[in-house]
Amino acid sequence: MQGCFLPSTDSSVCVSTRADLMSLDDLHTVDTVLNADCVAWCPHPGLQSLLLCSTYQLIEGRRTGSLLLFSTDRELRLLQVVVNMQGIFDFKWSPPNLSPIMVAAADSNGHVVLLRLDEAFNLLRMVSSTKLADSMALYVDWRESNLAVSFSDGSVSLFEINNSTLSCIQTFKNHSLEAWAAVFDVNDKNILYTGGDDCLLTVTDLRSQQLISKGRYHTAGVTHFMTNRHRPDNFVTGSYDELICLWDSRKLKAPVHELGLGGGVWRIQSENSANPKIAAACMFKGFKFIELNTEGFKEVGDFRSDERCLAYGVAISEENKIAMCTFYDHKLHVSKS
């Protein structure tokens, strides 16, 4: 698999600006051409205005995708489009303490693609593309120079990166159906959370390779996890059952709080604070904004660009800008919160 790298002169990607829509200020909207499904701000100091969006689309039986790199420093400006990739289900920027700056992308053909940000910080260059499985790679997360990758056959594997080569360290078969997420705890990178279409939520200690917890509280697929540096004993789950749940990692029989959002929760992101604002991508119900405090969750706003589209990707920057991307109408929305 090879990616084709186009500069920002690609005329097919159009940017428009709207203001004061659904209480979101200075909303910029981009047509991503292919269906948009994942978005993330660069976490590296001095580069947190960089925004990356991925796409996935089935065209004449072939899964295809792209990566779109933007600068949001003064205005939303397209820097690069990486085209002719396999459909991308998920990607992550490398952690802020790692150099060089990398992106790992999980694709529909079982590859993890590694890309490096160039020294001018405006182009991504492909470093390697490694086929890891015959099933689809669905999710990827970083722990230092390690990657956790989940697959459509229900397995989750841990890989070590050495000179752009991926070597498998551990493999877990925690799920009987698609493993939608595999997320390291930001407070303890030896703890790995996984969720699957079998409704299972698992917590694994990577040091002992033992399951700490495995249970079915959600009544549909568990799609995402969120941890917070200011809440070391808590994590949040999202699910197709339309719930977000706050858990105490010391007592996992039932969540501490839960909130129904009216649509399947595909992704959740939050501010880095003790009482954060949370943004949730709720598929056909659009994007929901929730406050978390000592009394639990409280929905405080929403955004929906089109009733026919799927809200799939959401990210909150260190500067409190919100990026949201949608499937079917292939749109990226960027605003200040």
Side-chain angles (χ1 to χ4, degrees), residues 178-290:
E178 291 91 341
W180 291 123
V183 179
F184 292 111
D185 192 317
V186 296
N187 297 292
D188 185 351
K189 293 293 188 176
N190 292 305
I191 300 300
L192 182 71
Y193 303 99
T194 74
D197 212 49
D198 53 7
C199 310
L200 280 174
L201 179 164
T202 78
V203 186
T204 300
D205 187 326
L206 297 175
R207 290 162 297 195
S208 63
Q209 302 185 33
Q210 297 296 313
L211 276 174
I212 298 173
S213 177
K214 183 177 183 178
R216 281 190 177 92
Y217 180 82
H218 287 285
T219 58
V222 181
T223 55
H224 206 210
F225 296 80
M226 183 187 73
T227 58
N228 187 310
R229 294 191 186 281
H230 296 272
R231 287 174 168 261
D233 296 321
N234 294 131
F235 64 92
V236 177
T237 55
S239 169
Y240 286 136
D241 66 6
E242 305 182 357
L243 294 178
I244 58 168
C245 294
L246 176 69
W247 298 82
D248 186 327
S249 58
R250 299 161 297 184
K251 297 177 290 183
L252 290 171
K253 289 185 177 180
V256 179
H257 300 291
E258 64 181 56
L259 179 66
L261 296 178
V265 182
W266 182 246
R267 288 291 183 264
I268 43 178
Q269 290 288 312
S270 78
E271 299 171 323
N272 186 24
S273 65
N275 296 301
K277 179 188 295 181
I278 297 170
C282 298
M283 304 183 77
F284 282 115
K285 289 298 183 179
F287 298 91
K288 306 283 187 175
F289 305 112
I290 304 110

Side-chain angles (χ1 to χ4, degrees), residues 24-312:
L24 297 175
D25 296 331
D26 302 326
L27 183 69
H28 304 276
T29 298
V30 179
D31 186 339
T32 58
V33 183
L34 301 178
N35 293 326
D37 62 354
C38 188
V39 64
W41 299 92
C42 180
H44 292 260
L47 299 173
Q48 293 165 346
S49 64
L50 290 179
L51 179 68
L52 192 62
C53 179
S54 67
T55 67
Y56 168 93
Q57 193 153 332
L58 190 65
I59 300 176
E60 296 181 350
R62 177 180 176 268
R63 299 184 183 97
T64 188
S66 62
L67 287 168
L68 297 90
L69 180 64
F70 296 89
S71 170
T72 64
D73 195 13
R74 294 181 176 84
E75 59 182 5
L76 186 62
R77 182 167 60 93
L78 179 66
L79 300 176
Q80 181 191 21
V81 184
V82 185
V83 297
N84 295 336
M85 303 183 74
Q86 297 287 334
I88 298 170
F89 283 116
D90 188 52
F91 71 84
K92 295 291 186 304
W93 292 92
S94 58
N97 58 337
L98 283 189
S99 181
I101 300 169
M102 305 278 286
V103 170
D107 78 18
S108 57
N109 203 32
H111 291 84
V112 164
V113 181
L114 296 179
L115 304 101
R116 179 183 294 129
L117 189 66
D118 74 355
E119 294 180 357
F121 308 123
N122 60 10
L123 288 175
L124 288 168
R125 303 187 185 279
M126 188 178 296
V127 175
S128 65
S129 175
T130 307
K131 187 169 179 61
L132 303 178
D134 293 329
S135 55
M136 295 183 287
L138 301 178
Y139 196 92
V140 61
D141 199 17
W142 289 81
R143 180 187 70 171
E144 304 301 331
S145 60
N146 296 154
L147 292 177
V149 185
S150 70
F151 298 94
S152 59
D153 66 356
S155 64
V156 175
S157 293
L158 189 65
F159 296 90
E160 183 178 18
I161 303 174
N162 187 9
N163 294 325
S164 304
T165 300
L166 274 65
S167 303
C168 186
I169 302 172
Q170 302 173 34
T171 296
F172 307 95
K173 192 66 166 67
N174 290 347
H175 302 279
S176 59
L177 299 172
E178 291 91 341
W180 291 123
V183 179
F184 292 111
D185 192 317
V186 296
N187 297 292
D188 185 351
K189 293 293 188 176
N190 292 305
I191 300 300
L192 182 71
Y193 303 99
T194 74
D197 212 49
D198 53 7
C199 310
L200 280 174
L201 179 164
T202 78
V203 186
T204 300
D205 187 326
L206 297 175
R207 290 162 297 195
S208 63
Q209 302 185 33
Q210 297 296 313
L211 276 174
I212 298 173
S213 177
K214 183 177 183 178
R216 281 190 177 92
Y217 180 82
H218 287 285
T219 58
V222 181
T223 55
H224 206 210
F225 296 80
M226 183 187 73
T227 58
N228 187 310
R229 294 191 186 281
H230 296 272
R231 287 174 168 261
D233 296 321
N234 294 131
F235 64 92
V236 177
T237 55
S239 169
Y240 286 136
D241 66 6
E242 305 182 357
L243 294 178
I244 58 168
C245 294
L246 176 69
W247 298 82
D248 186 327
S249 58
R250 299 161 297 184
K251 297 177 290 183
L252 290 171
K253 289 185 177 180
V256 179
H257 300 291
E258 64 181 56
L259 179 66
L261 296 178
V265 182
W266 182 246
R267 288 291 183 264
I268 43 178
Q269 290 288 312
S270 78
E271 299 171 323
N272 186 24
S273 65
N275 296 301
K277 179 188 295 181
I278 297 170
C282 298
M283 304 183 77
F284 282 115
K285 289 298 183 179
F287 298 91
K288 306 283 187 175
F289 305 112
I290 304 110
E291 288 181 350
L292 174 60
N293 53 41
T294 55
E295 298 178 354
F297 296 115
K298 179 183 178 182
E299 185 176 334
V300 294
D302 61 8
F303 170 72
R304 195 175 183 183
S305 61
D306 190 308
E307 291 184 356
R308 297 165 296 178
C309 72
L310 281 169
Y312 253 19

